[in-house]
Amino acid sequence: MRLVFGLVLIVGVGLAGFAVYMAQNYVSAYRLAEEAARAENVPMKPIFIANRDLKYGDKIKEDDIIFARWPEKFIPEGAFFGEEDWFSEGDGVLRTALRPIQKFEPLLAAKVTEPGEDAGLTSRLKKGMRAFAIRVDVSSGVSGFLRPGDHVDVYWSGRTLDGDETEGEITKLIQSRVHLIAVDQTSDNNLNRTTIARTVTVEVTPTQVAALAQAQATGSLSLALVGAADDSVAQQVEIDQRLLLGIEREAVVEAEAERSCTIKTRRGAEVVEIPIPCTN
């Protein structure tokens, strides 16, 4: 009896283990089938992605890019969907990386140049904009924390003129949210070190170029770094020494000159002025 009972127990345990194994396989197969069905229901579209890590300034060759299916709903703006988009100027005309791009990262228009262009400043200037260099130092250049791609407010400090009279020192905001495109001779916005810049290059309109040139020639310019998530535009700001120290201007009241009225009369050969009360 004991032998029979042991055999039955062993067979029962084996059958139970086999049932669990089959159940696990069934659940796994069901999950895979469900995931495959979900993947088939998500609209996909092929786009170009990087086939290797790219550094700023790298020429992007044909072997450096591949097609990959991407969820159509989540395709980033500026993606390339075909060879006619990427090789718009021909197969031998290469694009250049404007910033580091990781392997399998989508290639976007904002991260690469137009075909045949290099990674210089001209490729970063928008239509109608100009590049203008501003001299800075450790105090006026935000202590080396500036990076290409940042936005800054530009303040002018100097003495104002009222005709031929020189007024006091003032500091005034002259440009708000100016876009930096280069720091010293570097336009790579992925700098991994802090440097004290001597010049920064900004992207401005021709009118702003004239204003900045005049301001730089007649006073000193200082930069204030704008936060990355701050899209506000600063209002007019102007501070002079009196306002800084809280000194109110004394009202100058010119005393009205006393009016006098006279009449002239002739006494012989002499003309005499006689004062009389003014009537108006």
Side-chain angles (χ1 to χ4, degrees):
M1 284 296 292
R2 291 181 179 179
L3 181 59
V4 174
F5 179 76
L7 290 174
V8 172
L9 180 61
I10 292 172
V11 172
V13 171
L15 291 174
F18 179 77
V20 171
Y21 174 77
M22 292 298 294
Q24 288 179 343
N25 287 343
Y26 176 80
V27 171
S28 298
Y30 177 80
R31 288 180 178 175
L32 291 175
E34 185 180 12
E35 291 176 359
R38 288 180 180 177
E40 291 178 357
N41 292 331
V42 176
M44 307 290 284
K45 196 169 184 178
I47 63 173
F48 274 127
I49 65 173
N51 195 30
R52 67 176 180 90
D53 290 340
L54 298 170
K55 302 188 298 295
Y56 169 81
D58 281 354
K59 295 291 184 182
I60 306 176
K61 302 177 182 179
E62 187 173 357
D63 294 340
D64 299 332
I65 58 177
I66 57 173
F67 260 133
R69 292 172 58 82
W70 208 267
E72 189 171 350
K73 183 179 178 180
F74 303 105
I75 293 177
E77 183 179 357
F80 295 91
F81 299 99
E83 294 185 358
E84 63 278 3
D85 294 334
W86 182 264
F87 300 105
S88 58
E89 299 295 330
D91 294 345
V93 185
L94 304 180
R95 297 177 184 263
T96 305
L98 290 175
R99 63 190 66 180
I101 302 175
Q102 295 182 348
K103 187 176 181 179
F104 300 146
E105 181 179 346
L107 295 169
L108 307 178
K111 299 179 180 180
V112 298
T113 66
E114 292 295 327
E117 292 183 352
D118 58 20
L121 290 183
T122 55
S123 63
R124 296 200 168 196
L125 289 174
K126 298 177 183 176
K127 184 177 181 180
M129 305 299 283
R130 303 292 185 268
F132 181 79
I134 298 176
R135 296 186 300 271
V136 295
D137 53 28
V138 65
S139 59
S140 62
V142 201
S143 299
F145 290 103
L146 298 177
R147 296 288 185 274
D150 290 341
H151 290 81
V152 295
D153 291 339
V154 183
Y155 290 83
W156 175 80
S157 298
R159 302 185 72 87
T160 59
L161 298 177
D162 184 8
D164 294 333
E165 298 292 331
T166 302
E167 296 290 325
E169 291 275 352
I170 70 166
T171 296
K172 183 176 182 179
L173 173 65
I174 59 173
Q175 301 293 339
S176 180
R177 285 191 59 81
V178 175
H179 181 216
L180 293 183
I181 56 176
V183 176
D184 284 337
Q185 284 75 44
T186 301
S187 57
D188 182 5
N189 59 357
N190 288 273
L191 294 174
N192 55 7
R193 66 188 185 281
T194 299
T195 58
I196 305 301
R198 291 173 294 180
T199 60
V200 297
T201 304
V202 295
E203 182 186 38
V204 289
T205 64
T207 302
Q208 290 174 314
V209 169
L212 291 172
Q214 178 66 21
Q216 192 161 241
T218 57
S220 61
L221 298 181
S222 300
L223 308 181
L225 185 61
V226 179
D230 186 359
D231 57 356
S232 62
V233 178
Q235 302 300 317
Q236 183 175 356
V237 178
E238 183 175 331
I239 302 292
D240 60 11
Q241 292 176 337
R242 290 181 177 273
L243 186 59
L244 178 65
L245 300 176
I247 302 174
E248 296 184 2
R249 290 183 178 271
E250 296 181 359
V252 178
V253 180
E254 296 183 357
E256 183 179 359
E258 294 184 3
R259 297 177 59 195
S260 62
C261 300
T262 62
I263 60 173
K264 296 180 180 180
T265 184
R266 181 180 294 274
R267 292 180 180 177
E270 182 181 0
V271 178
V272 180
E273 289 189 2
I274 302 174
I276 62 172
C278 296
T279 59
N280 50 24

